């Protein structure tokens, strides 16, 4: 697992105690299911995702737009090449029994194919209680509009950890 340089120092202890308690409870659960981190850009959701990744055993980490592009490219392969590429990446994520960490749900371009694959992935992982952490800048209501009521419902039915605050990436004049 590779952690991007800007997140190598990320630690769960960097976050408010209520976030830490919820994350630790999710990490300790035998059947953790879905956890969704929601909130505006730059409030620490991705940082927490990588802090969690650092303490998980063999997590699979994807940002959702890259996951979709990778899946679409694999689907364009000839049948022989597709078979040689092992299994479709979404199918591998559905089957993976360890933690799957998905960053930036809602940033992808939505098409019928994208909606179908995201629904399939989220639905199957939720159905089997597989540990899945998802970050999004969208509220559950906005996810229902952009993606699908069924996807938003499944995410809302899991653990939801809201983030608030200003975008830490945006520096005010004089802050530097």
């Amino acid at each position: 697992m590779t952690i991007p340089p800007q997140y190598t120092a990320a630690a769960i202890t960097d976050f408010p105690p209520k976030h830490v308690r919820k994350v630790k409870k999710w990490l300790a659960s035998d059947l953790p299911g879905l956890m969704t981190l929601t909130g505006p850009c730059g409030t620490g959701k991705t940082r927490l995702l990588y802090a969690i990744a650092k303490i998980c055993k063999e997590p699979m980490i994807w940002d959702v737009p890259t996951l979709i592009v990778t899946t679409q490219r694999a689907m364009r392969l000839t049948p022989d090449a597709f078979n040689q590429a092992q299994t479709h990446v979404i199918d591998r994520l559905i089957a993976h029994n360890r933690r799957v960490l998905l960053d930036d749900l809602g940033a992808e371009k939505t098409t019928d194919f994208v909606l179908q694959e995201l629904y399939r992935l989220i639905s199957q992982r939720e159905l089997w209680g597989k540990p899945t952490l998802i970050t999004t800048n969208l509220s559950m209501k906005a996810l229902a509009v952009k993606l699908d009521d069924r996807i938003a419902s499944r995410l809302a039915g899991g653990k939801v950890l809201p983030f608030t605050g200003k975008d830490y990436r945006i520096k005010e004049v004089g802050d530097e």
Side-chain angles (χ1 to χ4, degrees):
M1 170 193 60
T2 304
I3 304 278
Q6 72 188 67
Y7 298 115
T8 55
I12 287 182
T13 55
D14 296 342
F15 295 88
K18 73 175 187 175
H19 285 56
V20 173
R21 280 191 304 276
K22 287 184 180 183
V23 167
K24 285 184 176 180
K25 185 176 179 181
W26 182 76
L27 287 168
S29 176
D30 289 336
L31 204 61
L34 303 176
M35 176 178 258
T36 306
L37 312 180
T38 65
C41 296
T43 54
K45 298 175 303 294
T46 298
R47 186 171 188 79
L48 182 55
L49 178 140
Y50 281 107
I52 291 167
K54 288 169 55 178
I55 60 174
C56 290
K57 183 178 180 183
E58 301 176 31
M60 290 184 81
I61 307 168
W62 283 89
D63 71 271
V64 175
T66 302
L67 172 64
I68 296 302
V69 168
T70 303
T71 301
Q72 289 169 328
R73 286 180 182 157
M75 298 301 281
R76 287 188 209 119
L77 297 173
T78 65
D80 289 339
F82 184 72
N83 290 337
Q84 290 173 353
Q86 297 178 338
T87 312
H88 179 317
V89 68
I90 299 284
D91 291 333
R92 288 196 324 258
L93 289 173
I94 289 170
H96 190 64
N97 286 320
R98 300 201 192 282
R99 302 207 188 276
V100 169
L101 311 177
L102 302 172
D103 191 29
D104 229 357
L105 179 66
E108 67 287 337
K109 180 179 177 186
T110 53
T111 64
D112 288 343
F113 172 78
V114 168
L115 294 175
Q116 170 188 295
E117 293 302 289
L118 287 174
Y119 173 75
R120 206 165 62 84
L121 171 60
I122 292 167
S123 175
Q124 287 299 302
R125 290 201 58 88
E126 185 258 348
L127 181 66
W128 295 101
K130 293 184 176 185
T132 310
L133 179 91
I134 298 168
T135 72
T136 182
N137 293 331
L138 302 175
S139 66
M140 291 300 157
K141 188 174 185 178
L143 276 173
V145 170
K146 179 172 172 86
L147 299 178
D148 183 86
D149 287 333
R150 295 172 305 158
I151 291 172
S153 173
R154 279 162 178 74
L155 295 176
K159 292 154 192 70
V160 179
L161 189 55
F163 280 63
T164 58
K166 294 192 301 185
D167 187 334
Y168 75 87
R169 294 182 194 102
I170 298 174
K171 306 286 186 219
E172 297 292 327
V173 176
D175 284 351
E176 299 165 8

